[in-house]
Amino acid sequence: MPAAYLMAWEPTRRRWWKQYRGTRYVVSCRQLDAPETKDGSYQAANAWWLAKKSEIDGKLPPHPHAQTLQILGQRIAWAQAHGLEDQVATLRAEYVRAESDKSGLTYGRQTGPLDVPSMVADMMTDAIWNDRTSREQVNPADPDRTVGHQSELWLADLKGRVNAGQFGAGEYQGQTYYSRHFVAHFGKETPIDSINEELWAAFHRFLMGEINQGRWTAVYAKKLHRSARTFIEHLASLKRITAPENLHDKRMRFSIPAQEVKVFTIAEVKALLEAARDQVRI
């Protein structure tokens, strides 16, 4: 099995780091009592992080909507297993809304005056979902094999390459931003094993829809598509998944409209040269 790095390696300082819940955690090879190499110390770093994460999580108060999040996670897993993309999108939006409300006060279906028809509809919806999940249990993905977690590992690997001078800092910032889009579309809690031909084609359709609606340009959609493809190629290279057969389908292209090339007139060139200093003129 290929090595799985739960933390990011910083070769110049011979140490590992991890960003978690807004805090950066660092541990050196000396603290780990391990060889000062990536391959020689990653297992000790993994064990250290798992222990540290357990300690951190144990100190955190439970989420005010923990039970709701668990139920929504089960429903998302069921809808994904049955290819119900529209329901998955709706449930994900509900999950994000519940997860974002840490106060426990603002999240809830019932807002404003008592709405009996809406309450009855909610109860019927709950009954349908309870029937579905009780007849066919689909457990949420292993947290270590979710799109969100694997994306974090991928970005950490890119950051390590930046620190080693093997990857551009600007390109890394771009990938960090682009990744948010495909993680949101695939679903942060989606198992990476679900990345198949249909999911990849659905992402392309989503990007084309954004272009058609005028929300994104073809150039931007192409960057997001390329970023997601690079992430999937990364997972496949580590044998964590099998790459979709249509990953490089030439039909999934983005036509970039040719832009008019603006040129200076002779008069404008003369004016620029006259105003330029000798060094610039050369």
Side-chain angles (χ1 to χ4, degrees):
M1 291 291 291
Y5 306 116
L6 302 183
M7 303 183 73
W9 172 245
E10 194 172 348
T12 56
R13 299 189 179 183
R14 299 292 188 271
R15 66 182 188 180
W16 296 86
W17 64 270
K18 179 75 174 181
Q19 191 80 14
Y20 187 63
R21 297 184 181 272
T23 302
R24 183 183 174 95
Y25 298 91
V26 180
V27 63
S28 67
C29 291
R30 181 173 299 179
Q31 290 172 308
L32 294 171
D33 193 21
E36 294 190 349
T37 64
K38 183 177 183 179
D39 290 339
S41 61
Y42 83 90
Q43 290 180 324
N46 284 353
W48 183 88
W49 172 247
L50 290 174
K52 174 60 70 173
K53 183 176 183 297
S54 178
E55 175 189 340
I56 297 168
D57 292 344
K59 294 179 180 178
L60 293 174
H63 196 286
H65 304 301
Q67 185 175 3
T68 298
L69 292 173
Q70 181 181 4
I71 293 172
L72 288 172
Q74 292 171 346
R75 294 179 181 182
I76 289 171
W78 191 95
Q80 286 174 333
H82 291 79
L84 304 177
E85 292 184 19
D86 291 343
Q87 292 193 31
V88 169
T90 300
L91 289 165
R92 281 178 186 152
E94 192 78 355
Y95 189 99
V96 170
R97 195 162 71 91
E99 187 180 38
S100 300
D101 176 30
K102 301 298 176 62
S103 67
L105 300 176
T106 61
Y107 173 76
R109 293 174 178 172
Q110 181 60 40
T111 57
L114 185 64
D115 186 346
V116 175
S118 294
M119 293 176 65
V120 172
D122 288 343
M123 291 173 64
M124 291 177 64
T125 299
D126 287 339
I128 292 171
W129 274 111
N130 291 339
D131 180 61
R132 287 174 174 177
T133 55
S134 64
R135 285 187 288 107
E136 184 180 350
Q137 291 289 335
V138 179
N139 295 322
D142 176 352
D144 290 339
R145 289 187 63 80
T146 60
V147 169
H149 181 69
Q150 289 296 322
S151 175
E152 289 179 1
L153 294 181
W154 174 58
L155 292 174
D157 182 69
L158 293 182
K159 181 62 174 178
R161 291 167 59 189
V162 171
N163 294 337
Q166 302 299 311
F167 196 75
E171 188 174 359
Y172 166 74
Q173 290 297 330
Q175 294 292 359
T176 300
Y177 185 78
Y178 302 148
S179 67
R180 297 173 185 173
H181 290 288
F182 69 73
V183 168
H185 181 79
F186 291 162
K188 186 177 180 181
E189 72 290 337
T190 298
I192 56 174
D193 308 273
S194 298
I195 301 177
N196 55 19
E197 288 77 9
E198 182 54 41
L199 188 64
W200 182 238
F203 183 58
H204 181 262
R205 289 195 298 270
F206 163 71
L207 295 176
M208 294 299 292
E210 294 299 294
I211 296 173
N212 293 335
Q213 293 295 324
R215 287 190 284 265
W216 289 342
T217 65
V219 172
Y220 188 65
K222 184 176 182 179
K223 290 180 179 179
L224 299 182
H225 193 255
R226 183 187 298 130
S227 178
R229 186 175 62 223
T230 302
F231 170 65
I232 294 173
E233 289 172 339
H234 168 76
L235 295 177
S237 71
L238 296 174
K239 304 298 183 184
R240 292 176 187 168
I241 65 169
T242 299
E245 292 187 6
N246 61 346
L247 187 61
H248 296 279
D249 192 331
K250 294 182 179 179
R251 291 171 293 184
M252 295 185 186
R253 289 180 173 177
F254 297 88
S255 298
I256 309 299
Q259 296 182 348
E260 180 183 356
V261 179
K262 296 182 179 180
V263 297
F264 291 108
T265 64
I266 294 177
E268 288 172 333
V269 172
K270 288 181 177 180
L272 288 171
L273 289 175
E274 289 175 0
R277 292 176 294 181
D278 291 340
Q279 188 175 2
V280 176
R281 216 181 268 121
I282 295 173

